[in-house]
Every structure is written in C-alpha cells, then in structure tokens.
Amino acid sequence: MERGKMAELESLETAAEHERILREIESTDTACIGPTLRSVYDGEEHSRFMEKLEARIRNHDREIEKMCNFHYQGFVDSITELLKVRGEAQKLKNQVTDTNRKLQNEGKELIIAMEELKQCRLQQRNISATVDKLTLCLPVLEMYSKLREQMKSKRHYPALKTLEHLEHTYLPQVSHYRFCKIMVDNIPKLREEIKEVSMSDLKDFLESIRKHSDKIGETAMKQVPGAQDLVDFSPVYRCLHIYSVLGARETFENYYRKQRRKQARLVLQPPSNMHETLDGYRKYFNQIVGFFVVEDHILHTTQGLVNRAYIDELWEMALSKTIAALRTHSSYCSDPSLVLDLKNLIVLFADTLQGYGFPVNQLFDMLLEIQDQYSETLLKKWTGVFRNILDSDNYSPIPVTNEEVYKKIVGQFPFQDAELEKQPFPKKFPFSEFVPKVYNQIKEFIYACLKFSEDLHLSSTEVDDMIRKSTNLLLTRTLSNCLQNVIKRKNVGLTELVQIIINTTHLEKSCKFLEEFITNITNVLPETVHTTKLYGTTTFKDARHAAEEEIYTNLNQKIDQFLQLADYDWMAMEPGSRASDYLVDLIGFLRSTFAVFTHLPGKVAQTACMSACKHLSTSLMQLLLEAEVRQLTLGALQQFNLDVEECEQFARSGPVPGFQGDTLQLAFIDLRQLLDLFIQWDWSTYLADYGQPTCKYLRVNPTTALILLEKMRDTSRKNNVFAQFRKNERDKQKLIDTVAKQLRSLINSHHS
C-alpha cells in the first residue's frame, strides 16, 4: 500500500513538472525552448508528456475554433473592405508611379546638381582638412628649411637651436606623416654634421691663431691694449656652445687643451739659427706672447674651457723651455750690442706677460745670468779695443801746440800739473795717447755695463756692485793681459817700456776718479758696507812692475849683445892705450838709455841702472873666468882693467840721480879687487888678511883667484922656453906655485 502511495506521489510530481514545462513552452521565446525540451527528453516520462502536450494542443485548437466562429462575420466584412481598398491602392500606386516618373524626370538635373554639390562639399572638406594639415606641416617645413639655410651659411649654433625646436616642438605635432619620420631619422645625422662642421671651424681657428700668434704677440709687445681684438674668437664660442648643448662639453675641452698643448710645444721650439739676429729672438717671443694672450682671453671669456691650473701648467712649461732656449742660444752670441738688445727684448717680453698676470721672476733671474755673459762679450770686445789702442800708440809723450788741444786732453783725462801749465807752448804731456784713450774706454765700458742694468728692477747697490765687479774684470784681466802682451812683445824697445811705466803710473792715479765716476752714476758711496773696491791700482802696478822687469831684462840683453862683440887678445904682452871699443859703445848706449829715464820714478831708474851695472860686472867676470880662456897674460889683464875702469868711471858719473856716494861703483867691486890683486901681485896682503872684515881684498874669492892664477901660470910656463935659465922667472914661477898651494889650502879649510 505504501508502494501504491509512493507511485501515486511520483505520478503527481511528474504531472506537476509536465504542467510547468508546458507553461514554459507556451510563454518562452522559440529560440530559448531548447533547454526546456532537453529536460523532457532527459526524463523517463516522455510518452506521458507527449500525451499531455497533444491534449493541450487539442484544447488550444478548440479555443481557436471558438474564437474564429465568434469573429467570422467581422472577418468577412474586413475582406470585403480590403478588396475595395486594393482597387483604390492600385489607382494610388499608378498615380504614385506616374508622379515618380515625372519627379524622376524633373529631378535628374537636380540630382546631378546635388551630386556635384556633394562632390564639392567633399572637396571642400578635403581642402579644409588639407589646409589644416598644411597649417601644421608648414612650420615644420619652414623650420627645416631654416635649419638647412643656417647650416649652409655656417650659423651652426642657431642651426642647433632650430634643430632643438624642430625636434621637440614641431615634429611631435605631425609625427604620423612619412616625411616627419624621415626628418626624425635625419636629426642625429644633422647633429653630427653640425658637430663635425663646428669642429672643422675650430681646427681652422686653431690653425689661424697658430699662424697669427706672431702678429698678436707683436701687437701686445708694443703695449697696445686689445691685442686679442685681432682674433675672431666666435668659432671657439660657437663650438663650445654646440658641444655643451650636445652634452659633449668635456670632449671639446679635452680636445681644445690637447691641441693647444701641441701648439705650445711647437711655439716653444726655437729655430736653430735664432741666435744669429735679434729678429730671430723677437719672432720667438712674439709667438709665445701671442699664444698666452689668446689663452688668457679664453680663460676670461669662457666658463671653464681652460682654467687657471691649466694656464699655470702651460706657463711653467713655457718658462722652463724658454729659459733653456735662451741659455743655449745666448751663449753663441759674441756681440755685446746683440746681447744688450736681447736683454731689452726679454725685459719687454717679461713686462708684457706680467701685465697679463703671469709670474716672470724666473726671467729676471735668468737675465742676471745673461748679464755675466754680456760682461764676457764686453770684455772680449774691449780686448780688441785696448789691443788696437796699444798697437797704434807711438809711445811718445803727447805734444800740444795750443791751449785748445791742451784743454781737450785734460778734459779727456784727469791730469793736473802746475809746472806743465806754466810752460809755454809747444809742450808735452808726460804720457802718450793711450792713457786718455784707455781711460775713456774704461768709462765707455762702465756705461755699457750700466745699460744692461736698466729696467731690471735692481737696487742702486746691486747696480753699483755689478758695475764694479765687471770693471774689475776689465782692469785685472782684459786690460792687464793687453798690457802684459805689449810688454812681453819681442820687438818692444826700452823707450816703449819706459813710456808704459809712465803711462801706467798716471792711469793708476786716475783710479780714484773712476771710483767717483761710478759713484756719480749709481749714487752709492764707496764707504758703503759691502761696496766692491776697484782693483785698478793693482792692475797698473802689476803692469808697471812687469815693464820694469822687462826693462831690466832688455837692458841685460843689450849688454849681452855688446859683450858678444868683445874680442880680447888673452895672450897680449902689452895692454892698449884705451878701453875696448865694444865697451866704449856699451857705455855710450847706457848713458843715452838712462837719459830717457828722467820721467821714470826715481827708484825705477836707480834699480835699472844698478841692475845693468851688476849684470855688466857679472858678465865681465864670467868672460874673464870662462873655461874657453885657458891662458892669459898680464898684458891682457891690464887691458881688461882699462875696460873695468871705464865702467867705474860711468858709475861715478851718476847716470841716474839719487845714488848715495859710490853706491853704484860697488857693482864693480868684485872685479876691482880681483884685478888689483893680480896687477899689483899683492898676494902677501891677501893671504895675511884673508877672512878679516878689514881685508883689502875682502870680495875676492880664493876659488876665483886660483882659477885666474892657473890661467897665468900656464901662460908663464908655455911662453918662457928658457925660463929655467932666468932666475927671476924661476922665482916667479915658484911664487905662483906657492900662492896656488896656499889658495887651495884656504879653499879646503873653507869647505871643511
């Protein structure tokens, strides 16, 4: 029974479900009925559903039939009305068709006009659109044209600005056009082209300033303001701006500095023949000045293209290379005028660059080195000057015939002599022409030294010290050597030597006036501490002493020349009636020579006279004792005595004033005592008094006496064949032997 209830319940549920599906089918759109039907087919009551569906359809058909039966008459009436309407509709259609045909015929022209209007409106819209597009494109094209024009006219910086506007302002507005893409693609190439062209302009600028550095420097060296105005710096500024805009400023700075460093090295390399002319140095300095004038202007007109460190580095390099070059090339220069001009050029060079803020102390320090070289070139020049003066001098006192000439010479040389002034014309100065000439050339040398010190920013003391040191070198080395060379010349005569002594005496006295001359120039008193003293006095004293020694030597040589003419007959039995001719001539020469010594200082004349007499005495002694004279007779000795007496007479005559008593005669005392001993044959006195201070023959050396005695003994033996038969001769021979024996004893005792 429960099973029956359950089946009944299921049947009810199925019936309810089928009812729901039927309602859904009735109310649902046909396109969406699929899912509903699927639920039927998915179930197991398909047949029952179909039965219900067919039942529902029969119900609907019955309802439709009832409805149709109810409205049938109305339907028939409607059909009748419709048939009437159809006739009328046909008429209306015919009218419409006719009207349409007429309208079509009448509207063809209008349609054509309307079509034309439509086409015009379309063209109008296209034109308007085109104008709008062109309005956008034209500024782009104009900017591009402007860009090409700017590049063509090499206005690269404005071109770059135009390119920036074109890229960022105009092109984005027309970016969908094909030509725009071409432009966009071309922009990097244009930028690179601008870079390359501007760099080319920069290279041209660098080459131009390299070529024109000389002119720029020349203008600056003339102390003319605005030397930099000779240069058009716009290529640098443009290129700097362009590279800055392009973000490559550092690349540009590095390139510029590298190229300028290369140019600096070229500028600082002097030509090999620079030292030959001043123009060589001038061009070298002009190029350096021109280089740094440009760099200084770049430093002050650009923001960091070059900086102070870079400039200082270049200047340090320039200083070292310039100083090295000047040291090398100036050392080749032997012309003091060129050295002086070079110094003035260096001062101008230093002052010019100092005006641009460059430190130049090292250049002025180097000028002090060149000053030493200048002094050397002056000394070499003055060597020639002094040599010409000394070679052309006649070594005779200067004659003056009138007051005008006298004052002229006194104006050239500081000389005062009251006695000479009182003498009537014509008269003579004691010195020769080389005295005022040498004195004036010393002053000219001092002026030349002073010229170099100008503009060196030296103190008066430094200038004074420089002049005095250079003048001392002139006196102690140059003039001294020239005087010594003249004195030592082979052909120099006694007259010339005497005049040199007189001249140097007066030049020595003039040294104080040279001191005053330097003091007046430098305004530094000689008493100032550390002031260098002039050594002129020493120079002239040394020259005078050398001349004196040369006089002594010259006199002795002349005496020797006369003595070479001596021709004694050492075997003569009897003497002549007077002194030998050669000796008479020698004494005559000495008298005339010493007569010239009147202007010499007293001691010089006396020393010369004493030296000559001593040399004559010594030479005569050597002549008597020389080994070649192996024998001599008493007659020959007596002739020799006559010659010595002539010498003694000359000594007594006072050839030179100032000797006390018989001082000059004492030069011949050795000869006199020796000859007296032999002629008087006073051996007993000699042997008895030998060694005593009061000995009559104190100056006779036993060795000398023995040599002469041996010569006479040999003569006695040889010339007296029959001497053994003559008692007197035999006694004399014994006496000679005895004296000789005693002399040997004296000699031996002296040695022991």
Side-chain angles (χ1 to χ4, degrees):
M1 187 172 180
E2 290 179 359
R3 186 176 301 168
K5 289 182 179 180
M6 288 181 64
E8 185 180 358
L9 184 61
E10 287 178 1
S11 177
L12 290 173
E13 289 177 355
T14 301
E17 178 63 23
H18 287 171
E19 186 65 27
R20 183 188 68 78
I21 292 172
L22 289 173
R23 285 196 302 272
E24 188 170 340
I25 289 172
E26 290 173 344
S27 61
T28 303
D29 188 4
T30 305
C32 300
I33 202 169
T36 305
L37 294 175
R38 181 177 294 277
S39 64
V40 173
Y41 287 100
D42 288 343
E44 298 178 356
E45 300 295 333
H46 179 263
S47 60
R48 291 180 66 185
F49 175 77
M50 290 304 293
E51 291 175 357
K52 283 193 174 187
L53 178 62
E54 288 176 358
R56 182 64 61 90
I57 292 171
R58 286 191 297 270
N59 288 333
H60 281 296
D61 286 342
R62 282 192 296 270
E63 288 178 1
I64 291 171
E65 185 178 353
K66 287 178 181 180
M67 187 174 292
C68 286
N69 289 331
F70 179 78
H71 293 289
Y72 176 77
Q73 188 60 45
F75 173 71
V76 172
D77 293 338
S78 295
I79 291 300
T80 302
E81 289 295 325
L82 282 173
L83 288 174
K84 291 179 181 179
V85 169
R86 183 173 67 177
E88 294 299 325
Q90 185 63 39
K91 289 179 183 179
L92 180 61
K93 177 181 177 183
N94 292 335
Q95 290 177 356
V96 169
T97 301
D98 185 52
T99 303
N100 180 57
R101 184 181 69 255
K102 291 179 181 179
L103 181 62
Q104 290 297 328
N105 290 333
E106 295 294 331
K108 280 183 180 179
E109 293 180 3
L110 179 60
I111 290 171
I112 294 171
M114 290 299 292
E115 190 64 34
E116 290 177 355
L117 178 61
K118 174 185 176 184
Q119 200 63 34
C120 287
R121 291 284 174 86
L122 179 61
Q123 290 177 352
Q124 185 180 16
R125 286 197 302 271
N126 290 341
I127 290 171
S128 179
T130 301
V131 170
D132 291 341
K133 299 302 181 183
L134 285 176
T135 303
L136 289 174
C137 293
L138 277 176
V140 176
L141 297 173
E142 288 173 355
M143 289 295 285
Y144 191 79
S145 176
K146 180 181 178 183
L147 170 65
R148 299 308 301 183
E149 184 63 30
Q150 288 171 334
M151 292 185 67
K152 184 179 179 180
S153 60
K154 295 185 177 182
R155 297 166 58 209
H156 303 119
Y157 183 65
L160 191 62
K161 289 295 184 183
T162 302
L163 187 62
E164 292 293 318
H165 287 301
L166 185 64
E167 181 182 22
H168 298 294
T169 305
Y170 292 93
L171 284 177
Q173 298 176 10
V174 290
S175 59
H176 52 283
Y177 293 107
R178 186 170 59 185
F179 80 88
C180 177
K181 187 175 186 309
I182 296 173
M183 288 184 180
V184 170
D185 293 340
N186 204 31
I187 283 176
K189 297 178 183 177
L190 291 172
R191 280 204 177 93
E192 194 61 34
E193 182 181 347
I194 291 173
K195 279 180 66 176
E196 291 175 358
V197 173
S198 62
M199 181 57 73
S200 176
D201 288 349
L202 176 68
K203 291 177 180 177
D204 292 342
F205 167 80
L206 292 174
E207 180 63 20
S208 174
I209 59 172
R210 186 187 69 80
K211 292 180 179 178
H212 295 92
S213 285
D214 186 11
K215 185 65 177 177
I216 300 167
E218 180 184 359
T219 304
M221 291 268 275
K222 291 177 181 177
Q223 307 298 310
V224 180
Q228 64 275 4
D229 295 340
L230 297 173
V231 182
D232 177 15
F233 289 93
S234 57
V236 182
Y237 303 147
R238 285 197 301 268
C239 200
L240 175 61
H241 289 317
I242 288 169
Y243 272 73
S244 298
V245 170
L246 295 175
R249 180 186 176 102
E250 185 176 355
T251 302
F252 176 77
E253 289 178 358
N254 292 336
Y255 177 82
Y256 177 86
R257 295 183 185 185
K258 181 180 179 181
Q259 294 304 312
R260 289 297 277 165
R261 279 194 183 93
K262 288 181 180 178
Q263 289 187 349
R265 291 188 179 92
L266 289 175
V267 165
L268 294 169
Q269 184 65 38
S272 58
N273 62 342
M274 181 174 75
H275 58 276
E276 295 177 359
T277 62
L278 189 66
D279 284 338
Y281 289 106
R282 184 177 288 111
K283 185 174 182 181
Y284 179 63
F285 288 140
N286 286 346
Q287 288 179 340
I288 296 174
V289 171
F291 178 89
F292 282 101
V293 165
V294 169
E295 290 307 287
D296 180 74
H297 188 72
I298 291 291
L299 174 68
H300 290 93
T301 56
T302 61
Q303 297 296 323
L305 176 56
V306 298
N307 53 33
R308 178 52 66 184
Y310 159 82
I311 296 290
D312 290 344
E313 176 193 348
L314 282 182
W315 177 238
E316 283 299 320
M317 177 182 73
L319 266 183
S320 62
K321 287 186 178 293
T322 303
I323 290 173
L326 289 175
R327 280 179 179 145
T328 300
H329 285 267
S330 64
S331 64
Y332 299 139
C333 186
S334 58
D335 181 5
S337 298
L338 180 57
V339 178
L340 183 62
D341 290 339
L342 173 59
K343 165 255 167 181
N344 292 331
L345 199 57
I346 293 173
V347 169
L348 180 58
F349 172 70
D351 288 345
T352 301
L353 285 169
Q354 191 174 38
Y356 285 91
F358 294 97
V360 294
N361 290 338
Q362 292 183 46
L363 286 172
F364 283 101
D365 293 340
M366 188 210 56
L367 279 173
L368 298 180
E369 298 177 24
I370 293 183
Q371 172 204 332
D372 295 335
Q373 182 191 340
Y374 175 70
S375 180
E376 286 298 320
T377 59
L378 284 181
L379 292 174
K380 288 180 182 178
K381 177 181 177 181
W382 257 258
T383 296
V385 171
F386 287 143
R387 187 180 292 128
N388 291 336
I389 291 173
L390 296 176
D391 289 346
S392 62
D393 196 63
N394 59 9
Y395 294 93
S396 300
I398 301 174
V400 285
T401 56
N402 55 56
E403 186 70 23
E404 182 181 355
V405 177
Y406 185 89
K407 288 183 177 180
K408 178 182 178 182
I409 294 174
V410 172
Q412 293 174 345
F413 181 74
F415 175 78
Q416 290 182 341
D417 187 334
E419 293 184 5
L420 183 62
E421 289 181 4
K422 292 177 183 177
Q423 292 178 15
F425 292 101
K427 51 189 174 183
K428 294 181 179 181
F429 284 97
F431 44 81
S432 69
E433 288 184 355
F434 96 57
V435 170
K437 288 181 178 179
V438 166
Y439 181 81
N440 282 317
Q441 284 302 321
I442 295 173
K443 291 170 68 175
E444 288 298 321
F445 179 87
I446 293 171
Y447 277 128
C449 292
L450 181 66
K451 286 181 181 178
F452 194 91
S453 66
E454 293 173 354
D455 302 319
L456 292 187
H457 313 301
L458 299 175
S459 66
S460 298
T461 305
E462 289 172 321
V463 173
D464 183 84
D465 185 64
M466 180 198 77
I467 292 176
R468 289 176 180 273
K469 286 181 178 178
S470 298
T471 306
N472 276 333
L473 285 174
L474 178 75
L475 295 172
T476 60
R477 195 173 77 187
T478 305
L479 180 56
S480 177
N481 289 340
C482 290
L483 288 171
Q484 293 292 339
N485 290 336
V486 171
I487 291 167
K488 299 296 181 182
R489 270 195 313 221
K490 289 184 179 180
N491 60 344
V492 66
L494 285 171
T495 303
E496 287 90 341
L497 291 170
V498 169
Q499 191 62 56
I500 287 172
I501 291 175
I502 295 170
N503 288 353
T504 51
T505 301
H506 287 283
L507 284 172
E508 180 184 345
K509 293 177 181 177
S510 72
C511 286
K512 64 179 182 179
F513 296 101
L514 290 175
E515 289 270 11
E516 293 176 2
F517 179 68
I518 295 175
T519 299
N520 291 335
I521 289 177
T522 63
N523 295 320
V524 178
L525 297 176
E527 296 79 15
T528 306
V529 181
H530 304 308
T531 299
T532 305
K533 304 299 180 184
L534 287 184
Y535 300 142
T537 302
T538 305
T539 296
F540 298 125
K541 278 184 178 179
D542 291 344
R544 188 165 64 252
H545 292 157
E548 291 169 4
E549 291 297 328
E550 198 64 26
I551 285 176
Y552 307 151
T553 302
N554 195 306
L555 272 175
N556 292 345
Q557 289 174 349
K558 289 289 186 181
I559 291 171
D560 291 341
Q561 290 173 7
F562 279 104
L563 287 173
Q564 287 176 2
L565 302 175
D567 186 21
Y568 287 103
D569 180 8
W570 297 112
M571 301 304 293
M573 299 308 295
E574 296 293 334
S577 59
R578 62 188 185 89
S580 301
D581 291 341
Y582 86 91
L583 194 73
V584 173
D585 293 341
L586 171 57
I587 296 301
F589 164 75
L590 291 176
R591 288 186 188 280
S592 62
T593 298
F594 291 130
V596 181
F597 286 16
T598 52
H599 293 293
L600 283 176
K603 290 183 179 180
V604 177
Q606 293 168 16
T607 303
C609 189
M610 178 60 76
S611 172
C613 289
K614 284 184 176 181
H615 182 72
L616 177 58
S617 175
T618 302
S619 299
L620 287 173
M621 181 69 79
Q622 290 174 351
L623 191 64
L624 188 63
L625 299 177
E626 65 182 6
E628 293 181 3
V629 182
R630 296 182 178 179
Q631 301 171 353
L632 58 81
T633 62
L634 183 60
L637 204 61
Q638 289 172 339
Q639 178 62 47
F640 195 81
N641 184 57
L642 288 175
D643 292 347
V644 174
E645 287 178 348
E646 186 72 18
C647 295
E648 291 173 328
Q649 176 59 33
F650 168 73
R652 283 194 297 273
S653 67
V656 172
F659 285 109
Q660 297 293 326
D662 56 356
T663 302
L664 193 57
Q665 286 179 260
L666 292 177
F668 301 97
I669 190 65
D670 291 4
L671 274 174
R672 172 46 49 213
Q673 290 186 6
L674 179 64
L675 290 173
D676 285 350
L677 174 61
F678 274 85
I679 292 173
Q680 296 175 14
W681 208 252
D682 195 9
W683 294 104
S684 57
T685 303
Y686 176 77
L687 294 171
D689 296 343
Y690 180 77
Q692 297 181 13
T694 57
C695 178
K696 180 180 178 181
Y697 304 102
L698 182 65
R699 306 290 297 179
V700 179
N701 186 291
T703 302
T704 303
L706 179 60
I707 292 172
L708 193 58
L709 188 63
E710 292 289 347
K711 292 176 185 289
M712 295 188 69
R713 181 168 65 175
D714 291 343
T715 305
S716 180
R717 288 175 178 174
K718 182 175 181 180
N719 293 337
N720 295 289
V721 180
F722 303 103
Q724 62 272 27
F725 303 108
R726 300 175 185 172
K727 185 176 185 299
N728 290 340
E729 292 297 334
R730 289 199 302 273
D731 292 343
K732 185 177 181 181
Q733 190 63 44
K734 289 181 180 179
L735 178 58
I736 290 175
D737 292 340
T738 301
V739 171
K741 183 178 179 180
Q742 290 179 323
L743 287 174
R744 290 191 186 93
S745 177
L746 287 176
I747 293 170
N748 291 333
S749 62
H750 176 73
H751 286 308
S752 62

